[in-house]
């Protein structure tokens, strides 16, 4: 189980941190992937663009290879049981631990005029999303590690107090380290809502990709063989590796280690690799977006399937909590 907020257009971080694994997992597991529209209200309360953003994310899910016949694709707000489970889990979450969460502190700093209660309890809603399907594996990027630890704690507390209902979910990346896709300016990660010039979006045009990569931060290159790489240079190498251009990666790494590196050439190659990767996804997503009926059918069928799974879990939860009197 996993999801992405409809707070903007998906990017290479969403792809390599999350979507790539969704696509692989759908062949091996019973999967639920949703668009986290309720979560987006904690930071983006204006809902005027929400519908369009939700459809955008779903079209990108499909363009990246998610198959609605294999995985259940739905919108978080369409499964009402999420909010019910969120309430029960809220009774097991403590103000102190929520206030210490890194994402809460970052977001509270970013929007001091709107530190709403749902922003504070964001990890609880996320735990509800996961536990609603009694999911074990949660494909997410590295930035979500702390939230998953909290979801495990809430599950364990529930089980301890009311009886074993939930497996303890783990952040999943096929046994590999979780991924963090860096931004092109060397500061932080690629993101939907911040760092827009330093983030490569799955809908960026070829020209825009070339322009953004050309501007990526570099320097004059090393003067001494085998100098350790500064972060921002390591980031560019990591991006080359992620797009699968291993020969190019090895070549430029050797150039770096022998002080022969020409970052201009490396960035040109990187841009072309990215375009080869992104252009087909962009075109497919555009075509899918033009077929609203198709998107509606997928979301309706997905909500019905997710609803069934949620209702089964909530039967168990209500009984375990003791609020099912007859
Ligand atoms: P954003 O930070 O862009 O608003 P979300 O919070 O909706 O994205 O995250 C959606 C998924 O994408 C999560 O699993 C998150 O871990 C992953 N993700 C987002 N940005 C990155 C990144 N730069 N590197 C790796 N994974 C990322």
């Amino acid at each position: 189980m996993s999801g992405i907020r409809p707070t903007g257009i998906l990017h290479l971080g969403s792809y390599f941190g999350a979507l790539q694994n969704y696509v692989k997992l759908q062949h091996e597991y019973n999967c639920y992937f949703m668009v986290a529209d309720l979560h987006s209200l904690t930071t983006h309360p204006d809902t005027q663009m929400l519908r369009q953003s939700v459809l955008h994310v779903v079209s990108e899910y499909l363009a990246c290879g998610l198959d609605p016949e294999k995985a259940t694709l739905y919108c978080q707000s369409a499964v009402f049981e999420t909010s019910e489970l969120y309430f029960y889990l809220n009774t097991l979450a403590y103000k102190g631990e929520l206030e210490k969460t890194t994402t809460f502190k970052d977001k509270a700093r970013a929007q001091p005029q709107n530190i709403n209660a749902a922003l504070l309890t964001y990890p609880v809603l996320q735990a509800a999303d996961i536990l609603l399907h009694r999911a074990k594996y949660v494909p997410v990027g590295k930035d979500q590690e702390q939230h998953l630890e909290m979801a495990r704690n809430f599950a364990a507390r529930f089980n301890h107090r009311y009886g074993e209902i939930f497996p303890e979910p783990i952040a999943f990346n096929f046994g590999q380290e979780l991924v963090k896709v860096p931004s092109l300016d060397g500061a932080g990660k690629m993101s939907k809502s911040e760092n827009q010039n330093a983030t490569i979006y799955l809908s960026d045009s070829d020209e825009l990709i070339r322009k953004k990569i050309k501007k990526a931060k570099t320097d004059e290159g090393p003067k001494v063989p085998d100098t350790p790489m500064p972060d921002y240079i390591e980031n560019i190498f990591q991006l080359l590796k992620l797009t699968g251009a291993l020969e190019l990666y090895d070549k430029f790494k050797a150039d770096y280690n022998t002080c022969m590196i020409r970052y201009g050439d490396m960035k040109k190659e990187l841009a072309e690799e990215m375009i080869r990767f992104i252009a087909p996804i962009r075109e497919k997503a555009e075509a899918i977006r033009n077929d609203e009926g198709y998107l509606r059918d997928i979301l309706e069928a997905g909500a019905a399937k997710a609803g069934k799974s949620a209702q089964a879990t909530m039967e168990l939860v209500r009984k375990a909590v003791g609020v099912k009197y007859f």
Side-chain angles (χ1 to χ4, degrees):
M1 196 285 147
S2 196
I4 297 183
R5 293 182 301 153
T7 49
I9 298 165
L10 304 195
H11 50 85
L12 289 179
S14 341
Y15 184 83
F16 290 109
L19 263 168
Q20 174 178 249
N21 282 343
Y22 297 5
V23 174
K24 279 200 237 163
L25 278 163
Q26 69 181 342
H27 301 293
E28 296 171 41
Y29 294 89
N30 179 21
C31 294
Y32 295 87
F33 299 121
M34 54 87 167
V35 182
D37 57 345
L38 296 180
H39 279 289
S40 70
L41 299 182
T42 62
T43 52
H44 294 63
D46 183 351
T47 52
Q48 229 180 2
M49 300 295 286
L50 190 56
R51 177 175 187 275
Q52 204 182 328
S53 303
V54 166
L55 297 184
H56 206 112
V57 173
V58 181
S59 71
E60 286 180 333
Y61 274 4
L62 297 165
C64 288
L66 278 181
D67 177 353
E69 300 292 323
K70 294 211 163 90
T72 302
L73 307 182
Y74 67 101
C75 203
Q76 186 186 28
S77 59
V79 179
F80 310 137
E81 288 79 4
T82 309
S83 304
E84 187 186 358
L85 184 54
Y86 173 50
F87 173 78
Y88 291 121
L89 297 177
N90 264 321
T91 67
L92 298 159
Y94 299 105
K95 178 170 163 275
E97 64 185 338
L98 294 168
E99 280 172 345
K100 273 195 283 185
T101 315
T102 311
T103 47
F104 171 69
K105 288 196 283 193
D106 290 347
K107 285 174 179 159
R109 219 174 290 127
Q111 54 181 67
Q113 76 298 352
N114 182 19
I115 306 177
N116 57 80
L119 191 67
L120 181 68
T121 54
Y122 189 111
V124 188
L125 181 58
Q126 194 179 63
D129 296 328
I130 299 165
L131 300 178
L132 195 60
H133 303 296
R134 302 167 80 207
K136 278 192 217 145
Y137 301 123
V138 187
V140 282
K142 190 152 182 63
D143 55 323
Q144 294 291 327
E145 217 166 18
Q146 191 181 24
H147 289 176
L148 259 291
E149 193 184 327
M150 295 175 84
R152 278 196 295 283
N153 286 339
F154 302 146
R157 284 178 209 160
F158 184 99
N159 291 344
H160 181 71
R161 187 174 294 172
Y162 298 118
E164 286 289 324
I165 301 284
F166 298 119
E168 290 183 23
I170 56 165
F172 185 78
N173 184 20
F174 290 91
Q176 308 273 320
E177 279 255 322
L178 298 186
V179 174
K180 175 187 163 189
V181 179
S183 67
L184 293 169
D185 59 4
K189 56 162 197 155
M190 287 197 184
S191 155
K192 279 194 252 100
S193 1
E194 299 147 37
N195 269 341
Q196 297 195 352
N197 289 323
T199 295
I200 307 272
Y201 295 94
L202 299 183
S203 57
D204 279 351
S205 69
D206 295 355
E207 259 333 288
L208 192 54
I209 294 173
R210 287 193 188 102
K211 215 162 113 190
K212 285 183 180 174
I213 291 188
K214 201 168 168 191
K215 283 204 191 130
K217 183 172 172 182
T218 50
D219 53 27
E220 291 176 341
K223 300 274 179 283
V224 181
D226 299 318
T227 309
M229 282 184 193
D231 296 357
Y232 50 92
I233 298 296
E234 206 173 294
N235 290 350
I236 301 181
F237 273 93
Q238 196 197 334
L239 290 171
L240 196 55
K241 201 174 193 176
L242 282 171
T243 49
L246 289 184
E247 281 159 29
L248 285 174
Y249 176 87
D250 290 342
K251 173 198 166 330
F252 285 112
K253 188 116 193 222
D255 288 352
Y256 179 90
N257 285 333
T258 50
C259 306
M260 306 277 282
I261 185 101
R262 292 163 60 135
Y263 289 126
D265 292 350
M266 181 176 173
K267 288 203 256 182
K268 261 190 207 144
E269 297 276 10
L270 176 61
E272 294 316 307
E273 284 303 318
M274 295 256 170
I275 290 168
R276 249 193 294 283
F277 176 75
I278 286 176
I281 296 178
R282 180 184 67 219
E283 281 153 25
K284 211 165 160 195
E286 267 167 23
I288 293 169
R289 264 197 303 283
N290 287 332
D291 193 349
E292 276 207 8
Y294 174 61
L295 290 173
R296 189 193 50 224
D297 290 349
I298 288 175
L299 287 179
E300 278 179 4
K305 259 164 79 185
K308 255 197 196 145
S309 153
Q311 283 149 23
T313 302
M314 289 317 295
E315 281 289 311
L316 298 174
V317 168
R318 291 179 203 124
K319 212 162 145 197
V321 171
V323 295
K324 196 166 164 56
Y325 306 116
F326 304 102

